Amino acid sequence: MAVQRGGRVEGLRRRVYRLTVGRGKGALVCRSVDDSVTIGSHPGNGLVVADPTVSRFHARIELDARGFLLSDLDSTNGTWVGGMRVRSVYLPPKAKLQLGDVEVLFEVQKEAQDLPLSTSDRFGALVGQSAAMRRLYQELQQVADSDVTVLLSGETGTGKDLAASEIHRHSARRERPFVVVDCGGLPDSLIDAELFGHERGAFTGADSTRAGAFEEADGGTIFLDEVAELSPAVQSKLLRAIEARTVKRLGGNDWRKVDVRVIAATHQDLARMCNQRLFREDLYFRLAVVKLRLPPLRERPDDLPLLVQGALDEIGGASLELDERLLAALRARHWAGNVRELRNVVQRAVVLGPAALGDENVEARALGGEEPYKVAKARAVEEFERRFIIGIVERASGNVTKAARAADVDAAWLFRLIKRYQIDVASLRGGARPPPVPKAR
């Protein structure tokens, strides 16, 4: 709930909710105002339920613009509300949740907590006057003032890289290096050397000694972008580097101490990946000391005028004039690519005219249907790939490895395309509740 004064949101008032497991004096109660709380048998959850039928990370309750969203995290026995198995559902003020053999009562309380907002409409390179963004600025400033490890989550294009850079720029380490490692942009054969360095002759092509990103960031900050893409072997080495703040170059024998602040980012659900055995739990909790979520553009439509004007100023689009009709068209779009997509649309509008701000297919009409061969072919290939991937993954009940085998393609290639096209694999999984309740993962 927004608290307004003079037409401007000055604060947020968030309802407290309670989760209760069991009855009487032995009941387990969790009260929370957090944006996100996970429930499961692992000690790192917000609500820990030590039951063999409850998965390590079983479900999550998170607050967004529409209310309290309950999501199953690929649990073994499923999450049930009102006798129906759910993947995600918005909860009413009072609801009974079934996790394995355990019943959890969700209740929104009468009291609320006031959350402060930044008074500024920007935090460095991040721009937005919405309450969601000004709340984020407040949190970014708080973590910047400390040396805590931060995990940034959010959809592709929401600005996780900018947030990481601004945390560093506002921190006491600002005069020291800020080193970025794109964990999804390098093969396993190179990511090791990129992170930890190598000695001369450590592998074919290693003609000289090279310090890795951790050493280069000594005294400053290392930003691990798309950290979910790391292989299990590299995850293990990364865990040691974060725990001990020591690294050893490939082909070397000496452990080197490093003084670095770690910020990681991902658009994937790491808790869900832990359940799938794709990401180490211990590394997840080392990274997620503080978790911050960057809101998607569709949750902050009030920021569109500022963002569009900023993009126009940057690319020199003074000839394009915003009006209410164009802003209404912008607000009507889904913005799957978020701020990055918005900037691309603004650039197209400067070239093709203002209609591009509100029409995703304006390029085809502007060209009169006579597109260059390469453009038409690329669009057709992308559409084919997207439909093909959705079909094979759905037939494999969401099992990407199984889908890759069925299509006779490399699983890593399939994962990359799923990431590129932002395909929600979870929504392609089916299945009904099994008669017995097995022991959870």
Side-chain angles (χ1 to χ4, degrees):
M1 182 190 308
V3 179
Q4 294 191 344
R5 186 175 294 110
R8 178 178 170 85
V9 177
E10 297 293 342
L12 289 176
R13 186 161 296 151
R14 183 163 299 169
R15 297 291 294 274
V16 178
Y17 64 91
R18 182 174 68 184
L19 298 170
T20 307
V21 181
R23 296 181 177 85
K25 293 183 178 180
L28 178 63
V29 178
C30 170
R31 295 172 66 86
S32 181
V33 291
D34 293 338
D35 286 339
S36 178
V37 169
T38 55
I39 308 170
S41 58
H42 191 280
N45 287 282
L47 176 61
V48 181
V49 182
D51 186 278
T53 64
V54 174
S55 293
R56 294 171 300 167
F57 302 95
H58 199 108
R60 177 191 295 113
I61 297 175
E62 54 191 334
L63 179 64
D64 65 17
R66 294 178 57 188
F68 293 100
L69 179 65
L70 170 70
S71 300
D72 181 75
L73 298 176
D74 288 341
S75 63
T76 299
N77 297 313
T79 300
W80 299 73
V81 179
M84 296 183 64
R85 186 170 185 168
V86 300
R87 290 213 57 79
S88 62
V89 66
Y90 283 96
L91 295 171
K94 187 172 183 178
K96 289 184 179 179
L97 322 178
Q98 191 75 30
L99 284 62
D101 281 340
V102 176
E103 185 177 276
V104 179
L105 180 63
F106 167 85
E107 296 176 285
V108 177
Q109 307 296 287
K110 291 183 178 180
E111 69 261 37
Q113 183 182 58
D114 290 331
L115 302 177
L117 303 180
S118 170
T119 57
S120 176
D121 289 344
R122 63 175 58 241
F123 186 76
L126 291 167
V127 177
Q129 62 184 1
S130 63
M133 289 303 291
R134 288 164 51 215
R135 174 61 185 160
L136 176 65
Y137 302 157
Q138 185 81 11
E139 295 171 328
L140 289 172
Q141 184 62 67
Q142 289 173 331
V143 299
D145 291 338
S146 71
D147 220 21
V148 67
T149 301
V150 181
L151 177 63
L152 301 171
S153 66
E155 298 175 9
T156 299
T158 50
K160 298 184 290 294
D161 53 343
L162 294 180
S165 176
E166 293 303 334
I167 291 173
H168 172 75
R169 202 167 68 85
H170 286 77
S171 74
R173 295 175 177 263
R174 65 179 67 89
E175 301 299 329
R176 303 295 296 163
F178 176 71
V179 179
V180 179
V181 180
D182 181 2
C183 301
L186 292 171
D188 285 351
S189 57
L190 296 179
I191 191 67
D192 237 345
E194 181 70 18
L195 286 170
F196 310 119
H198 61 79
E199 298 291 345
R200 180 179 180 182
F203 51 85
T204 303
D207 299 327
S208 61
T209 296
R210 180 182 179 277
F214 269 89
E215 288 185 70
E216 291 176 350
D218 192 30
T221 303
I222 184 169
F223 174 46
L224 306 173
D225 197 12
E226 295 301 346
V227 70
E229 302 297 322
L230 294 177
S231 68
V234 178
Q235 288 178 33
S236 179
K237 294 180 181 179
L238 177 60
L239 175 64
R240 179 184 176 90
I242 294 175
E243 286 183 330
R245 291 300 197 271
T246 59
V247 296
K248 183 168 67 174
R249 295 175 181 173
L250 292 180
N253 298 314
D254 299 328
W255 289 97
R256 302 167 185 269
K257 293 289 291 184
V258 289
D259 171 24
V260 294
R261 198 246 181 98
V262 178
I263 303 174
T266 180
H267 74 281
Q268 300 197 52
D269 190 331
L270 290 188
R272 192 185 300 273
M273 291 182 68
C274 288
N275 263 357
Q276 298 168 339
R277 308 279 185 181
L278 297 175
F279 203 83
R280 292 182 62 118
E281 296 173 11
D282 43 9
L283 177 57
Y284 170 55
F285 286 108
R286 280 291 180 182
L287 295 173
V289 178
V290 172
K291 294 182 288 185
L292 297 180
R293 172 181 176 267
L294 274 75
L297 186 53
R298 60 184 172 276
E299 291 182 10
R300 38 184 292 225
D302 292 345
D303 292 338
L304 282 167
L306 275 176
L307 292 169
V308 173
Q309 192 59 56
L312 289 173
D313 292 343
E314 185 175 327
I315 64 177
S319 60
L320 188 67
E321 185 176 349
L322 283 176
D323 57 29
E324 284 304 315
R325 181 182 60 83
L326 290 179
L327 287 174
L330 289 172
R331 293 188 179 101
R333 292 175 64 124
H334 180 67
W335 298 114
N338 291 295
V339 178
R340 188 176 300 147
E341 179 188 355
L342 174 66
R343 295 171 68 84
N344 291 339
V345 168
V346 172
Q347 288 180 325
R348 292 203 302 268
V350 171
V351 176
L352 300 172
L357 284 173
D359 190 341
E360 299 179 36
N361 298 311
V362 70
E363 302 98 325
R365 290 211 312 278
L367 292 168
E370 298 176 0
E371 293 178 302
Y373 169 76
K374 289 183 178 180
V375 175
K377 180 181 177 181
R379 182 177 292 114
V381 169
E382 287 183 0
E383 184 62 20
F384 165 77
E385 285 182 337
R386 181 189 294 275
R387 292 184 179 181
F388 180 80
I389 292 167
I390 290 174
I392 61 172
V393 174
E394 189 170 26
R395 285 193 294 274
S397 300
N399 187 319
V400 178
T401 303
K402 182 179 177 182
R405 287 198 301 266
D408 194 23
V409 297
D410 182 69
W413 175 84
L414 187 56
F415 272 111
R416 284 196 295 272
L417 286 185
I418 288 171
K419 174 184 174 182
R420 178 192 301 173
Y421 296 129
Q422 300 180 0
I423 295 171
D424 183 6
V425 173
S427 68
L428 302 178
R429 296 190 179 98
R433 187 176 194 176
V437 181
K439 186 175 180 179
R441 293 189 297 266

